[in-house]
Amino acid sequence: MADEEQEQITVRKEKLERIRRLGVEPYPTTCQCTHSLKELREKFAELVKAEREVSVAGRVSTVRSHGKTCFLDLVGGEGRIQVYLRQDNLSDREWELHGLLDIGDIIGVSGTPMVTKTGEETILAKTLIFLTKALRPPPVVKETTDESGKKTLHDAFSDKEARYRQRYLDLMVNPDVRRLFRTRTRIIEEMRSFLDLRGYLEVETPVLQPIYGGASARPFTTYHHALDMNLYLRIADELYLKRLIIGGFNKVYELSKDFRNEGIDRLHYPEFTQLELYEAYSDYNGMMEIFEQLLVHIADTVFATKDFEFDGERFTIQPPFERLSIPEALSGKLGLDVMEASAKDLFSACKRHKLEVEGGWEWEEYFNELVEGLLEPNIKQPTFLVDFPQRLSPLAKPRADDPRLVERFEPFIMGVELGNAFTELNDPVLQRANFTAQESLRAKGDEEAQAMDEDFIVALEYGMPPTGGMGIGVDRLVMVLTDNPQIRETILFPQLRPK
RNA sequence: GAGCCGCUAGCUCAGUCGGUAGAGCAUCUGCCUUUUAAGCAGAGGGUCUCGGGUUCGAUUCCCGGGCGGCUCACCA
């Protein structure tokens, strides 16, 4: 809200002037701390015993003032500590400064660690300095604990719009949100170390691409002045990573953002983080193993458990994950052979199961509806959906025993699609034919159909070894592992329309 | 894009069957040297999301806009 200045801001500005009149700089350049708040708590007992003086800094989160004494809480990093100010322990000037303190200010305190008679670990302050005067009050969130130890938040800063628009406030006052984003970073770190340890090379490929490929989606378009041409923000990294496989890097991965110009909902976000990895002389079975091991690694290192909860239901990361053949599962459910069925058959099957479809669609569109409507929502435990129709998979290699299917899988947990992987198509002639088929879909108005990429075909003609490849939606994996049903909760600064 | 819902104090919310509004926390004043939603006593603070309509009078009713939430659609 643009500011007719609020009373609380005016008052704080006046305090700022009074601080300066005391000869104190409210925004000093340096601060010497002996411990972070987190370290302080970890070593508290020994510091009390040693009667060591410590210096710490943090943001004032609450103040409990009692005349000639004052308790306040400092927070920051992943720590919190109570500070005990006594008039008789401080200089007159410092005591006067304490009266100019507000919630949200950042201060430094030196003093001795002690435990109060209520058992609270506390710094008895000997000096007090301002590090930053806050001119706006943060949201005030308080917490009570009942006899059973159950915590209740009062006036939680919970409005999603406010939390996303001012994520710094969300992080400042909601420790769970800070924890979530630390966990997100830990997951990504462990993805890297898992792959690095297995000899994968992390690479960077173009975000700006002249031809967008590797997935079916509408791109963001931009313009390069010097080259006088349109470029697209990548929708996938796939075709460039495969060029690296052709070049002789046998194991590569890229961990970065892809962009798809589509709607936002609980599972979709236009700029999302994807891990893509490719391994020469592997295949989709190899990718399944890597997926399983990667999840086990993350579960062990980040969460130290294999049991997780999502949206009130439990799942366990315990390989081997179930392999569920889509045609078999669908055929069983519908009582007909879906691979032999006509578009019309699938249409009536959709109708029978009350899926919202219209007549005149392509076979694969009905097929998709059935997979999404009947199969995916029922997957709770980690599961690989396998045996996708070739017509839906222009970059995957057909199965030798049934070329109507490709060697492809999608991992699911709790109904959430976490990725997509296949044995990569390395037959340049077939690849060209698939692109051509996609082009004709595009000509019919399918905006998401893939574009012919002649340069990629040329690369394939030089010979790509048999290769397994996989993409993993990192935001979604974070969602599932942290029990967050909304993808935007896992993204630091979600896009909103300007107010 | 569609449907439903929301927008009131810094924060979380209540309320006005149409007569310009209230609570807790926060803020301000006073008291208080071990508190932890500290306490006690008092005070201030709002173009009730914006525009239009109906009306003597709209924050409240009606229409439209903005922003947001949820669900659905798109995103296989």
Side-chain angles (χ1 to χ4, degrees):
Chain A
M1 317 250 145
D3 315 272
E4 272 312 300
E5 191 167 283
Q6 286 134 11
E7 183 204 359
Q8 298 197 39
I9 295 179
T10 310
V11 168
R12 283 170 183 240
K13 283 186 174 165
E14 284 164 9
K15 289 178 181 170
L16 186 66
E17 282 317 302
R18 287 166 62 193
I19 294 166
R20 288 212 162 99
R21 279 204 297 275
L22 286 171
V24 171
E25 171 52 51
Y27 303 100
T29 51
T30 56
C31 160
Q32 258 99 41
C33 293
T34 56
H35 300 78
S36 73
L37 297 181
K38 186 163 179 260
E39 291 164 352
L40 178 67
R41 293 303 282 262
E42 285 162 1
K43 298 180 184 155
F44 203 85
E46 58 183 274
L47 288 168
V48 171
K49 205 178 291 172
E51 296 177 16
R52 275 273 300 282
E53 188 166 314
V54 298
S55 297
V56 294
R59 189 185 295 276
V60 176
S61 68
T62 63
V63 179
R64 296 174 291 283
S65 189
H66 299 71
K68 296 189 178 60
T69 67
C70 178
F71 290 93
L72 47 88
D73 291 348
L74 292 189
V75 296
E78 277 309 84
R80 188 196 71 81
I81 189 72
Q82 174 170 268
V83 172
Y84 184 24
L85 306 177
R86 295 172 59 101
Q87 187 171 15
D88 54 15
N89 275 21
L90 294 172
S91 69
D92 290 348
R93 189 167 72 168
E94 282 168 322
W95 187 248
E96 199 164 339
L97 275 181
H98 124 274
L100 300 171
L101 273 178
D102 283 304
I103 293 173
D105 290 350
I106 298 169
I107 62 169
V109 163
S110 297
T112 47
M114 59 168 276
V115 177
T116 65
K117 65 186 180 193
T118 53
E120 179 87 21
E121 293 180 344
T122 300
I123 303 297
L124 176 59
K126 290 190 174 147
T127 66
L128 165 70
I129 57 168
F130 263 92
L131 296 173
T132 301
K133 179 71 189 166
L135 296 184
R136 290 175 186 267
V140 179
V141 180
K142 298 198 175 184
E143 190 181 84
T144 43
T145 311
D146 66 18
E147 313 80 52
S148 64
K150 216 179 88 190
K151 290 182 174 174
T152 310
L153 283 185
H154 301 267
D155 303 335
F157 183 61
S158 57
D159 180 83
K160 276 181 196 264
E161 180 176 3
R163 288 179 50 231
Y164 294 162
R165 283 192 197 280
Q166 296 182 284
R167 182 69 98 174
Y168 48 91
L169 293 180
D170 190 25
L171 292 163
M172 193 186 295
V173 303
N174 291 328
D176 287 349
V177 177
R178 287 202 298 276
R179 201 166 304 126
L180 167 69
F181 285 104
R182 283 175 188 277
T183 301
R184 180 187 163 109
T185 296
R186 287 283 301 124
I187 290 170
I188 291 171
E189 282 172 354
E190 291 304 334
M191 285 181 160
R192 285 207 161 90
S193 67
F194 174 88
L195 291 168
D196 293 344
L197 205 67
R198 277 161 185 73
Y200 277 79
L201 182 71
E202 180 170 11
V203 296
E204 295 174 279
T205 68
V207 174
L208 296 173
Q209 303 182 347
I211 299 173
Y212 57 96
S216 301
R218 191 194 309 179
F220 287 90
T221 306
T222 187
Y223 175 76
H224 190 284
H225 290 280
L227 293 177
D228 185 24
M229 65 187 286
N230 278 337
L231 289 170
Y232 305 95
L233 299 188
R234 64 173 164 213
I235 59 172
D237 311 1
E238 173 148 351
L239 301 185
Y240 284 92
L241 292 172
K242 284 178 175 172
R243 285 170 168 97
L244 296 178
I245 295 286
I246 294 167
F249 290 132
N250 282 349
K251 297 180 179 184
V252 292
Y253 75 94
E254 183 160 17
L255 188 48
S256 59
K257 290 225 175 134
D258 288 343
F259 305 86
R260 298 185 184 175
N261 203 340
E262 281 148 5
I264 297 174
D265 64 26
R266 58 175 284 264
L267 292 170
H268 296 86
Y269 190 73
E271 54 175 307
F272 62 102
T273 302
Q274 183 152 233
L275 169 67
E276 282 199 37
L277 58 102
Y278 291 81
E279 179 169 344
Y281 311 110
S282 182
D283 61 14
Y284 79 139
N285 287 307
M287 292 298 115
M288 285 189 226
E289 263 176 57
I290 286 181
F291 187 85
E292 288 171 341
Q293 289 169 20
L294 174 63
L295 259 63
V296 167
H297 178 77
I298 291 169
D300 286 347
T301 54
V302 180
F303 297 94
T305 179
K306 290 187 165 52
D307 297 311
F308 291 82
E309 195 172 313
F310 183 78
D311 211 9
E313 295 184 89
R314 309 195 64 81
F315 67 93
T316 307
I317 292 181
Q318 184 59 64
F321 299 161
E322 185 185 349
R323 273 74 166 158
L324 186 67
S325 163
I326 297 171
E328 276 177 33
L330 268 190
S331 298
K333 260 207 157 75
L334 299 175
L336 82 172
D337 183 343
V338 291
M339 295 311 294
E340 294 299 330
S342 65
K344 220 170 191 166
D345 296 334
L346 295 189
F347 170 71
S348 45
C350 287
K351 278 293 181 196
R352 251 182 299 144
H353 286 87
K354 304 201 162 35
L355 300 175
E356 285 186 34
V357 291
E358 291 163 30
W361 290 4
E362 300 287 333
W363 180 91
E364 45 266 53
E365 293 177 287
Y366 295 124
F367 185 91
N368 250 324
E369 286 295 325
L370 291 165
V371 175
E372 287 180 7
L374 302 182
L375 255 36
E376 294 180 2
N378 298 319
I379 299 174
K380 304 298 180 194
Q381 297 301 312
T383 300
F384 297 123
L385 280 188
V386 297
D387 296 340
F388 283 75
Q390 193 283 326
R391 301 157 76 177
L392 290 169
S393 318
L395 299 164
K397 185 179 276 190
R399 279 177 58 150
D401 59 344
D402 185 351
R404 297 172 306 173
L405 300 173
V406 288
E407 295 196 353
R408 172 182 173 189
F409 72 89
E410 289 185 347
F412 276 78
I413 299 179
M414 290 292 161
V416 177
E417 176 195 330
L418 292 174
N420 188 16
F422 23 91
T423 305
E424 304 298 335
L425 180 56
N426 63 344
D427 175 340
V429 175
L430 195 48
Q431 184 65 79
R432 178 183 290 280
N434 288 353
F435 276 148
T436 304
Q438 288 285 312
E439 292 270 272
S440 63
L441 288 178
R442 175 189 289 261
K444 283 189 214 152
D446 182 352
E447 282 189 78
E448 267 111 32
Q450 300 189 23
M452 173 67 75
D453 188 337
E454 290 286 354
D455 186 67
F456 176 65
I457 300 279
V458 167
L460 275 190
E461 286 170 350
Y462 281 96
M464 182 171 82
T467 298
M470 173 160 61
I472 296 175
V474 173
D475 317 277
R476 287 187 181 177
L477 183 61
V478 172
M479 278 174 66
V480 167
L481 295 179
T482 60
D483 194 12
N484 255 296
Q486 288 276 348
I487 197 167
R488 282 194 297 179
E489 291 291 333
T490 71
I491 288 165
L492 277 170
F493 297 100
Q495 215 51 257
L496 294 172
R497 282 197 175 85
K499 248 197 153 152

